[in-house]
Amino acid sequence: MAPKDQGGSDSRFFTTQKKGELHELRTELHSTDRTTKVDAVKKVIASMTVGKDVSGLFTDVLNCAQTGNIELKKLVYLYLINYAKSQPELTLLAVNTFVKDANDRNPLIRALAVRTMGCIRVDRITEYLCEPLGRALRDDDPYVRKTAAVCVAKLYDIAPELVQERGFIETLHDLISDSNPSVVANGVAALSEIA
């Protein structure tokens, strides 16, 4: 393994992919060492960013989502958003993780789960999004509520009838009188986008 870049730069993740590197990445993704696992997911994201096909690591990356580490979870969710369209069946495997994370104690993880589910444009995921989204719109934390408001507009693009059925538009109207200005702003923005 190459020595760590002392400058804090992540440019080391953008090295060229060598023969057998997918196997090496797979091994690192299954590491018990958190730093090794985070670095492996960063390498996968870097490869994905420069156009390399790393979809073969889908289940390996997905398994990394079972963590309390928010940095690792964000990276895994970014990967899932990118490959959801090309791997819709495998993306369904992530539903339990999203639903579990939408109930996490940490509001950042709850918001991240709802935001990610809203960004995944797979029809079969939308039915699983509704319950966590409904809870997020009424969450105690304003960050979760403002994130959920934006998610309603994204869901409307995919399944407008579902948004109507579940009463999410009415809930957005309720958010306009929220005590937090960011929640109000996102509620108005979501309603404007829907209109």
Side-chain angles (χ1 to χ4, degrees), residues 68-115:
N69 180 311
I70 192 120
E71 177 189 17
L72 183 55
K73 206 169 274 290
K74 283 180 181 179
L75 291 167
V76 170
Y77 281 9
L78 177 63
Y79 176 90
L80 291 174
I81 290 168
N82 188 68
Y83 281 110
K85 278 256 195 242
S86 64
Q87 305 277 344
E89 294 302 316
L90 289 175
T91 305
L92 286 173
L93 298 174
V95 167
N96 287 338
T97 301
F98 294 137
V99 171
K100 185 178 135 241
D101 286 352
N103 290 312
D104 197 272
R105 287 183 297 118
N106 185 338
L108 295 175
I109 291 178
R110 291 195 306 271
L112 180 64
V114 170
R115 177 188 304 122

Side-chain angles (χ1 to χ4, degrees), residues 54-79:
V54 286
S55 61
L57 297 170
F58 194 93
T59 54
D60 304 294
V61 174
L62 177 58
N63 287 334
C64 294
Q66 305 299 327
T67 180
N69 180 311
I70 192 120
E71 177 189 17
L72 183 55
K73 206 169 274 290
K74 283 180 181 179
L75 291 167
V76 170
Y77 281 9
L78 177 63
Y79 176 90

Side-chain angles (χ1 to χ4, degrees), residues 89-164:
E89 294 302 316
L90 289 175
T91 305
L92 286 173
L93 298 174
V95 167
N96 287 338
T97 301
F98 294 137
V99 171
K100 185 178 135 241
D101 286 352
N103 290 312
D104 197 272
R105 287 183 297 118
N106 185 338
L108 295 175
I109 291 178
R110 291 195 306 271
L112 180 64
V114 170
R115 177 188 304 122
T116 304
M117 285 180 83
C119 289
I120 293 177
R121 306 290 182 151
V122 175
D123 290 335
R124 294 181 60 197
I125 292 278
T126 57
E127 61 192 71
Y128 297 103
L129 170 61
C130 291
E131 187 181 323
L133 180 57
R135 277 194 315 274
L137 286 165
R138 291 175 179 81
D139 198 278
D140 290 338
D141 191 277
Y143 182 74
V144 178
R145 291 194 307 275
K146 79 177 196 133
T147 302
V150 172
C151 189
V152 171
K154 290 179 180 184
L155 180 59
Y156 188 85
D157 287 343
I158 304 167
E161 68 289 340
L162 201 54
V163 170
Q164 294 282 352

Side-chain angles (χ1 to χ4, degrees), residues 20-40:
E21 188 174 0
L22 283 182
H23 176 72
E24 182 183 320
L25 282 173
R26 184 170 281 120
T27 303
E28 291 174 10
L29 289 168
H30 290 280
S31 172
T32 55
D33 179 58
R34 190 186 71 157
T35 304
T36 302
K37 194 176 278 199
V38 169
D39 285 352

